[in-house]
Amino acid sequence: MSSYRPLHDGWILMAASPDAGVAGVAATVPGCVHTDLLAAGMIEDPYLDDNETRLSWIGRTDWIYETAFEWVPDDHERTDLVCRGLDTAATVTLNGVQIAETANQHRSYRFPVRHLLREGTNTLTVRFGSAYAYTEARRAALGERPGPYTEPYPFIRKMACNFGWDWGPTVVTAGIWRPIGLESWSGARLAEVRPLVTMRGADGHVEVRVRVERVTEDPVTVTAEVAGVSAEARLAPGGREAVLELTVPEPERWWPRGYGAQPLHELTVRLGEESVTRRIGFRSVQLDTTDGAFTLHVNDVPVFVRGVNWIPDDCFPNRVTRERLAGRFGQAADAGVNLLRVWGGGLYESEDFYDLADELGLLVWQDFPFACAAYPEEEPLRSEVEAEARENVARLAHRPSLVLWCGNNENIEGRADWGWQEELAGRSWGAGYYYDLLPSIVAELDPTRPYWPGSPYSGAPDLPPNDPARGTIHIWDVWNREDYSRYGAYTPRFVAEFGFQGPAAYATMRRAISGELAADAPLVLHHQKAIDGNGKLLRGLGEHLPQPETFDDWHYLTQLNQARAIEFGIGRFRSLAPHCAGTIVWQLNDCWPVTSWSAVDGDGRRKPLWYALRRVYADRLLVVGDGSVAVVNDGDEPWRGELELVRHSLAGEPLAKEVVAVEAAPRSVAAVALPAAVGTPDDPGGELLAARLGESRTVAFFAEDTRVALPEAAYDAQAEPVEGGYRVTVTARTLLRELALFPDRLDPAASVDDMLVTLLPGESAVFHVATGRRLDPAALTAFPVLRCVNEARR
């Protein structure tokens, strides 16, 4: 029997130094210093304008959280202070007695405090030392380590991107960021419940590993039950560990999204009157690396990964609610995504995160929190890494959505290819973590799923890590140096990271930037963290699109180019299946309003890239390449029919037509050679190809837009109110290239169901605009809300 009392009320925040002028501020727990100061009106929102630059003092200040609470002695033998998350260098004091010093945001802590509690009023104080002071002391002791930024994040076990990134602000936080409370108990308690779920033939097998903490040596009995099957184990006096095995005959299997259902079963483990529940799903997972492959198999079925990289959804994680996560996960699922890669510069995410992944069938690739730098392996960091890894591997081992543990992001590549070896001069850089410590912990605590030392990685330490012929690669010559057409030169096994930038939605930029909206305006540039980011945006237009002359054109064309680049890359890689077994786009989400590689911006608005992802991540896809059409079928049923190929003039006139019978088996790609009559244009700048199979259609041009004689757009457009918003119908009188609607320019809460639609003369498109406001119908069908590449000059 136990009882838990949260300690979330009555907290006061103060700066340790009176010179900072912060004292007696009401604090929210869980929370952090930035959000507390913001709520008190003592700082400006760091996400707006360039306010971030005036708040660096927060990360260089020591902070004190303090609360008083009443306590009445109870009949329990033990009372623990349970801290689920302290960010980061903390000293914990109860009634004037120091309990502990901690230095890891990625783990929890439990301290026995019953002997310190007194009847009546008790005072709990948590002092957070400056993360900068901590890291600088470790760096001085251990020696500098190379990385892409001057910030010292490798020297502390804390969310790395708090120190700034090429898409994120520098907001170095401190605070009690996860729940804190008192747990009282007697006899024995369940300290760890670690179910390992596997399939043995048609049957489900659960090995429940239990660790017990106890204050008495009496024998105790642990029971486990799932799906009507139960088991028990009796621990002898002093016994602290038990293994309970349960076999569930022929359970319904858990499948990734798009491959089947996601049945979950409640596993209950009991020790006396205490019980712990875990939701489990029966499935198997393997990683096939034969001959350089990198293919995930779930339930013995190879899965083509349609993935996105996930970064922390807010620099202040306590603000990320289950509702907010559900919205973001819904956006991922609606775009055809089946895997989220939790990137190594962030966090082990919340229980809500993995709950939603389990429920929706979104696979999770979990990086350990190491990213883009050399990490010291000396103490005290090594012990902290081991402690956090053990806790989180055990915490997540039962999750059916979790399919891969990955040692780090880009650190192996950094040492091999970024000139680190000379700079390191023999100092440790993380190899002991990625090749020894972490795989040994996974093998011990979670042998049910694969481990991969890092990404990119080719399968062995002595191989070039970013080799397209083996393992996982990251593609960043595109965006940094090369035109996105270079994706067509790659024949990879698995692309775990690649991306292309575009600005946030107009309404997001307008909220975050109070000054002029111009591509080169100082406040706009502050919300562009990539080196020469805006220069790369313009150079990236290349011959694909015209150079913009106004902000409105810059905004539309660079967003469109982002969408086109990623659609081209994914189409190329999907057409190579099964040789290529997956793509993980950088990135799904943003943590603040910024120009970045995301499909969903920092205010949660879908950028044009999101609509392109939905199209190119569909189960069925037609990809027009050089001399062929790839018929991509990632569904459970064959895709057969007559592939209609029509070469048109830009006026819509059919110039040639071919019909080819085609069949793509389930989970396969069928390649169809383009007949010369439709694949060879008479006038590359004046013709296009339309390919249709069933309800799928794609339109491809024979030349880049800047070399195509696009007609001046002419169309009829009408907006009419309907329940929940407006229906906008556009009928083309000429070719309309990449038709898009941006209703957030009229109502920041408005959204549209589709965009980036190319229409031939006579064709129509219907858009549904969701809004709670009355809008001007004429404005919904006029510039700059309604856009296309070949619109009439204004």
Side-chain angles (χ1 to χ4, degrees):
M1 183 67 178
S2 65
S3 63
Y4 178 78
R5 175 186 175 182
L7 296 176
H8 294 164
D9 298 329
W11 287 91
I12 297 297
L13 170 68
M14 65 197 82
S17 170
D19 294 341
V22 180
V25 175
T28 297
V29 170
C32 72
V33 172
H34 285 78
T35 51
D36 288 334
L37 296 180
L38 185 60
M42 300 185 71
I43 62 171
E44 298 296 326
D45 189 335
Y47 289 3
L48 304 184
D49 291 337
D50 59 353
N51 295 334
E52 166 208 353
T53 61
R54 291 177 287 281
L55 301 178
S56 60
W57 61 275
I58 296 175
R60 298 188 176 278
T61 301
D62 291 0
W63 296 95
I64 297 170
Y65 280 80
E66 188 167 278
T67 189
F69 62 92
E70 301 297 312
W71 189 72
V72 177
D74 54 32
D75 295 330
H76 287 293
E77 299 169 274
R78 171 125 164 217
T79 300
D80 296 336
L81 177 66
V82 182
C83 308
R84 296 296 180 195
L86 300 175
D87 175 19
T88 294
T91 301
V92 184
T93 303
L94 178 61
N95 293 327
V97 178
Q98 181 175 313
I99 298 170
E101 292 182 337
T102 75
N104 195 329
Q105 183 183 11
H106 300 307
R107 59 178 291 203
S108 65
Y109 298 90
R110 176 183 287 265
F111 310 115
V113 296
R114 192 173 183 88
H115 62 293
L116 297 176
L117 290 166
R118 56 195 181 207
E119 186 171 4
T121 302
N122 293 257
T123 301
L124 177 62
T125 305
V126 184
R127 178 177 178 137
F128 292 96
S130 160
Y132 279 114
Y134 181 92
T135 55
E136 288 161 1
R138 299 287 85 70
R139 181 164 58 184
L142 301 175
E144 184 63 87
R145 296 300 194 278
Y149 310 111
T150 58
E151 296 284 330
Y153 66 84
F155 296 90
I156 189 170
R157 297 311 297 154
K158 174 177 170 60
M159 183 167 77
C161 59
N162 259 176
F163 290 86
W165 221 262
D166 56 5
W167 38 258
T170 303
V171 282
V172 178
T173 56
I176 305 169
W177 77 286
R178 279 182 169 164
I180 187 170
L182 294 172
E183 182 179 358
S184 296
W185 54 281
S186 299
R189 73 173 190 89
L190 293 168
E192 180 180 287
V193 173
R194 181 164 45 92
L196 302 177
V197 184
T198 55
M199 297 298 300
R200 294 184 177 177
D203 296 337
H205 183 75
V206 188
E207 182 180 285
V208 186
R209 294 193 166 267
V210 175
R211 182 166 54 84
V212 172
E213 185 179 16
R214 52 200 306 169
V215 291
T216 63
E217 300 304 316
D218 297 335
V220 294
T221 299
V222 180
T223 64
E225 181 179 2
V226 64
V229 177
S230 61
E232 73 172 35
R234 185 170 176 81
L235 276 68
R240 282 167 171 76
E241 293 186 355
V243 179
L244 298 89
E245 298 199 40
L246 305 95
T247 298
V248 178
E250 299 185 352
E252 186 181 357
R253 298 197 183 205
W254 186 98
W255 290 93
R257 185 173 187 83
Y259 286 73
Q262 294 80 43
L264 297 170
H265 305 268
E266 189 169 279
L267 169 72
T268 302
V269 178
R270 292 186 174 87
L271 172 64
E273 297 184 16
E274 182 186 8
S275 66
V276 170
T277 60
R278 300 280 188 267
R279 288 193 306 170
I280 64 172
F282 291 100
R283 61 100 182 96
S284 64
V285 58
Q286 295 88 31
L287 179 63
D288 178 12
T289 58
T290 306
D291 296 328
F294 189 90
T295 305
L296 282 167
H297 290 245
V298 178
N299 297 324
D300 300 318
V301 174
V303 174
F304 187 93
V305 168
R306 293 180 266 172
V308 286
N309 281 271
W310 173 272
I311 65 170
D313 205 50
D314 199 312
C315 298
F316 312 123
N318 54 286
R319 302 201 296 200
V320 181
T321 63
R322 186 184 182 94
E323 180 183 17
R324 177 165 162 178
L325 285 172
R328 206 68 73 242
F329 277 44
Q331 289 170 322
D334 290 345
V337 167
N338 64 15
L339 181 142
L340 303 172
R341 177 190 173 211
V342 182
W343 169 73
L347 299 162
Y348 305 96
E349 287 286 343
S350 66
E351 298 301 327
D352 288 335
F353 181 97
Y354 302 101
D355 279 347
L356 290 164
D358 290 344
E359 292 165 9
L360 292 173
L362 287 169
L363 303 176
V364 175
W365 161 327
Q366 178 71 54
D367 280 4
F368 285 96
F370 301 91
C372 303
Y375 283 75
E377 299 173 41
E378 291 81 2
E379 296 295 347
L381 292 169
R382 188 189 187 283
S383 291
E384 289 296 341
V385 168
E386 180 172 1
E388 77 180 51
R390 285 187 168 277
E391 175 179 340
N392 285 285
V393 170
R395 174 172 77 99
L396 300 176
H398 69 284
R399 295 291 187 177
S401 58
L402 180 59
V403 292
L404 184 75
W405 290 103
C406 181
N408 72 87
N409 174 76
E410 296 186 345
N411 297 350
I412 295 171
E413 181 190 21
R415 181 180 179 274
D417 299 336
W418 298 353
W420 289 3
Q421 296 186 41
E422 182 177 352
E423 191 173 346
L424 281 167
R427 291 192 294 271
S428 63
W429 61 277
Y433 298 147
Y434 317 136
Y435 298 132
D436 298 317
L437 178 63
L438 296 177
S440 68
I441 290 172
V442 172
E444 174 192 349
L445 300 180
D446 185 18
T448 68
R449 56 177 56 82
Y451 170 85
W452 193 246
S455 188
Y457 186 65
S458 293
D462 58 342
L463 293 174
N466 205 29
D467 180 359
R470 302 180 182 93
T472 63
I473 67 165
H474 295 186
I475 300 176
W476 285 113
D477 56 351
V478 176
W479 166 252
N480 282 316
R481 298 179 302 278
E482 302 285 347
D483 183 83
Y484 70 71
S485 61
R486 179 166 169 75
Y487 288 137
Y490 279 91
T491 307
R493 306 311 302 265
F494 192 103
V495 189
E497 196 176 297
F498 68 111
F500 208 90
Q501 266 203 357
Y506 177 86
T508 300
M509 296 185 72
R510 185 69 284 170
R511 183 188 72 84
I513 298 165
S514 64
E516 176 191 11
L517 286 185
D520 58 353
L523 293 179
V524 172
L525 290 174
H526 184 77
H527 290 254
Q528 163 63 279
K529 295 293 187 177
I531 296 173
D532 190 30
N534 273 19
K536 292 173 183 176
L537 280 175
L538 291 177
R539 289 193 295 275
L541 294 173
E543 295 185 350
H544 305 294
L545 291 164
Q547 288 291 309
E549 297 179 0
T550 66
F551 171 79
D552 290 324
D553 288 346
W554 174 86
H555 189 259
Y556 166 58
L557 293 172
T558 55
Q559 282 197 331
L560 171 58
N561 205 45
Q562 178 190 31
R564 284 190 183 180
I566 297 305
E567 186 168 9
F568 176 80
I570 294 176
R572 161 67 178 174
F573 303 139
R574 287 192 71 185
S575 73
L576 298 173
H579 179 85
C580 178
T583 60
I584 309 180
V585 175
W586 186 269
Q587 63 213 63
L588 173 68
N589 60 323
D590 272 325
C591 60
W592 75 311
V594 64
T595 296
S596 85
W597 297 263
S598 71
V600 177
D601 74 19
D603 281 4
R605 294 185 176 92
R606 299 173 298 187
K607 293 159 66 172
L609 171 57
W610 183 90
Y611 299 89
L613 276 182
R614 183 176 62 180
R615 185 162 56 235
V616 76
Y617 269 164
D619 287 348
R620 292 178 168 181
L621 176 70
L622 299 176
V623 181
V624 177
D626 291 335
S628 68
V629 177
V631 180
V632 181
N633 179 21
D634 202 15
D636 288 326
E637 300 296 328
W639 189 15
R640 60 173 66 96
E642 293 187 333
L643 176 63
E644 183 181 89
L645 302 165
V646 183
R647 180 163 57 90
H648 291 271
S649 71
L650 298 185
E653 177 187 0
L655 302 176
K657 179 178 179 179
E658 295 281 353
V659 177
V660 181
V662 65
E663 178 173 346
R667 314 291 177 189
S668 76
V669 178
V672 177
L674 272 175
V678 292
T680 304
D682 296 323
D683 176 10
E687 299 173 17
L688 59 88
L689 175 68
R692 182 187 296 276
L693 179 58
E695 296 182 358
S696 296
R697 186 185 88 158
T698 189
V699 175
F701 286 73
F702 294 102
E704 298 293 351
D705 283 31
T706 56
R707 296 184 177 183
V708 175
L710 294 171
E712 187 173 282
Y715 54 84
D716 299 311
Q718 180 182 7
E720 53 186 332
V722 295
E723 185 176 355
Y726 289 82
R727 179 170 56 238
V728 178
T729 304
V730 180
T731 301
R733 288 190 271 119
T734 64
L735 173 73
L736 301 181
R737 182 76 164 121
E738 302 282 16
L739 191 65
L741 198 64
F742 299 100
D744 63 291
R745 283 177 169 265
L746 304 177
D747 170 17
S751 62
V752 66
D753 65 335
D754 199 9
M755 66 166 65
L756 306 187
V757 178
T758 294
L759 298 179
L760 300 183
E763 295 180 338
S764 296
V766 178
F767 302 93
H768 295 276
V769 175
T771 177
R773 292 188 186 177
R774 177 178 292 180
L775 304 181
D776 178 3
L780 272 173
T781 59
F783 176 90
V785 176
L786 186 65
R787 301 296 307 263
C788 68
V789 174
N790 56 316
E791 63 203 0
R793 293 185 177 275
R794 295 169 298 285

